[in-house]
Amino acid sequence: MPAKLSVRARVFATGQGRKTDATDAHSVALVDTRMAGLSPVVSDEQLEVLQLLVDRRRAMGEEHTRKISQLHRIRLEMLPGGAKTYLSAAQAKTLLTGVRPRDAVGKTRKRVAAVLVVDLERIHARKKAADKELKELVAATGTSLLDLHGVGPSGAARLLVEVGAWPGSRTATTLPPAGRPTGTAPIDASSGDHVRHRLSRGGNRQINRVLHIMATVQLRTATDGRAYFDRKKAAGKSSMEAMRCVNRRPSDLVFWAMLGDYTAGKVTGPGGHRGNVSDSSATGSQPHTGSSDKPLPGPATAQRRTRLPAVS
């Protein structure tokens, strides 16, 4: 149920018009009984499996980051001058073999660091197995998201889960407009002659995180995203402002990839449905009434835009 439909139904309700659980449930029921073409809620086992596995993979990543931070803090206390920030478990183990503490505190630090290294090796092996399983499941859906530069198995699975989760669904067709559903559209915060934009905190933060990782990965190599970032820096934008501009571009790439998969017939929606076919955006007093004499803008078409960054 699109949120805007229940909002428009509440506009015609009597009373103070406040949003409560009772009025919201009534407006949803009203729209459901008088609207045709709404996508039914169906349970998709493949989607639920992806969601469970991608949540588990993210928990592994957070645990790995926490262990790395603990080990880095101990290394700073054990080694003169500390050690570099990014170390693998094997490199950390090599450094520990050269440390010979003599006091009780130093020996305890080394023992705790050795335990952390073992934990990191175990987590790394679990992460590799989880990535392999996710890659196989995502590939089985027929999506081309893995072909996008900066999207791995975890990111592709997260996109499928959060977008609803198959190409052609209602949410998937709302990705491009200004990046608002994904929170990638910078918000205008200009004042007088000073033109600036700030970070948007709206939209789906899970999708926003995947798109930000995708943009960050593109900046590491000579890609169209890197060239776009350099052009924005040359135009006088700060690094943060240029990065916000870059974050906006992956939402288009992801949208066209998912919509292209759907229109090409590679995948279907949950339960075999081919997406939302709603032809109205407001309720009326009679069943199956139109929303207006003037048609509202429809979902995005499959026609590709020009000047989109090429997928590398």
Side-chain angles (χ1 to χ4, degrees):
M1 171 70 66
K4 65 180 181 181
L5 295 186
S6 61
V7 171
R8 292 174 180 176
R10 288 198 303 270
V11 171
F12 299 100
T14 58
Q16 297 178 346
R18 294 178 180 177
K19 185 181 184 301
T20 62
D21 291 341
T23 57
D24 194 39
H26 181 268
S27 62
V28 169
L30 181 65
V31 173
D32 181 61
T33 56
R34 300 190 177 189
M35 289 293 296
L38 294 177
S39 298
V41 178
V42 284
S43 177
D44 190 295
E45 292 185 357
Q46 194 176 21
L47 173 60
E48 293 180 5
V49 169
L50 271 180
Q51 183 169 6
L52 289 172
L53 293 180
V54 75
D55 289 341
R56 175 173 170 268
R57 174 59 179 82
R58 180 172 181 178
M60 291 180 187
E62 293 173 349
E63 184 181 3
H64 183 268
T65 302
R66 185 169 61 253
K67 297 289 186 180
I68 285 289
S69 300
Q70 295 174 2
L71 181 61
H72 180 65
R73 179 177 60 84
I74 294 178
R75 288 201 315 266
L76 291 177
E77 298 171 348
M78 293 178 56
L79 303 175
K84 65 178 184 178
T85 304
Y86 302 103
L87 283 178
S88 64
Q91 291 173 335
K93 182 184 294 186
T94 302
L95 286 177
L96 289 178
T97 57
V99 178
R100 306 289 183 180
R102 298 183 178 181
D103 57 334
V105 177
K107 293 179 180 179
T108 303
R109 286 198 185 106
K110 183 176 180 179
R111 177 165 53 85
V112 173
V115 173
L116 289 174
V117 170
V118 173
D119 291 342
L120 285 174
E121 291 176 338
R122 186 182 302 112
I123 295 173
H124 181 68
R126 290 165 52 197
K127 284 170 58 179
K128 288 184 63 177
D131 287 338
K132 181 180 179 181
E133 185 178 11
L134 276 176
K135 186 175 182 178
E136 294 175 353
L137 291 175
V138 170
T141 65
T143 181
S144 62
L145 289 175
L146 291 176
D147 297 333
L148 298 179
H149 187 78
V151 178
S154 180
R158 177 62 67 184
L159 288 171
L160 291 175
V161 168
E162 296 295 333
V163 167
W166 307 106
S169 67
R170 179 189 62 82
T171 310
T173 59
T174 61
L175 277 176
R180 291 180 181 178
T182 61
T184 55
I187 298 177
D188 188 11
S190 303
S191 178
D193 296 334
H194 184 60
V195 179
R196 62 179 296 271
H197 294 77
R198 66 175 179 85
L199 178 67
S200 172
R201 293 293 182 182
N204 188 306
R205 307 312 299 170
Q206 300 290 341
I207 298 179
N208 183 275
R209 182 174 184 268
V210 176
L211 296 177
H212 178 73
I213 294 175
M214 180 180 175
T216 303
V217 172
Q218 291 192 1
L219 293 186
R220 297 174 182 173
T221 55
T223 61
D224 291 337
R226 180 70 206 190
Y228 182 74
F229 177 83
D230 293 337
R231 290 198 301 270
K232 290 298 181 180
K233 288 290 296 293
K237 292 185 178 295
S238 64
S239 297
M240 292 297 295
E241 290 174 338
M243 191 63 192
R244 291 169 194 163
C245 296
V246 175
N247 285 341
R248 174 66 186 88
R249 308 301 286 270
S251 61
D252 285 341
L253 292 176
V254 169
F255 169 77
W256 291 118
M258 298 185 76
L259 190 60
D261 293 340
Y262 174 70
T263 54
K266 294 182 180 180
V267 293
T268 58
H273 293 277
R274 304 286 267 179
N276 183 20
V277 292
S278 299
D279 54 1
S280 178
S281 298
T283 58
S285 59
Q286 300 296 329
H288 310 298
T289 56
S291 60
S292 169
D293 292 335
K294 183 181 295 185
L296 294 174
T301 63
Q303 183 179 0
R304 290 188 174 272
R305 298 178 180 177
T306 59
R307 300 186 63 184
L308 276 179
V311 180
S312 55

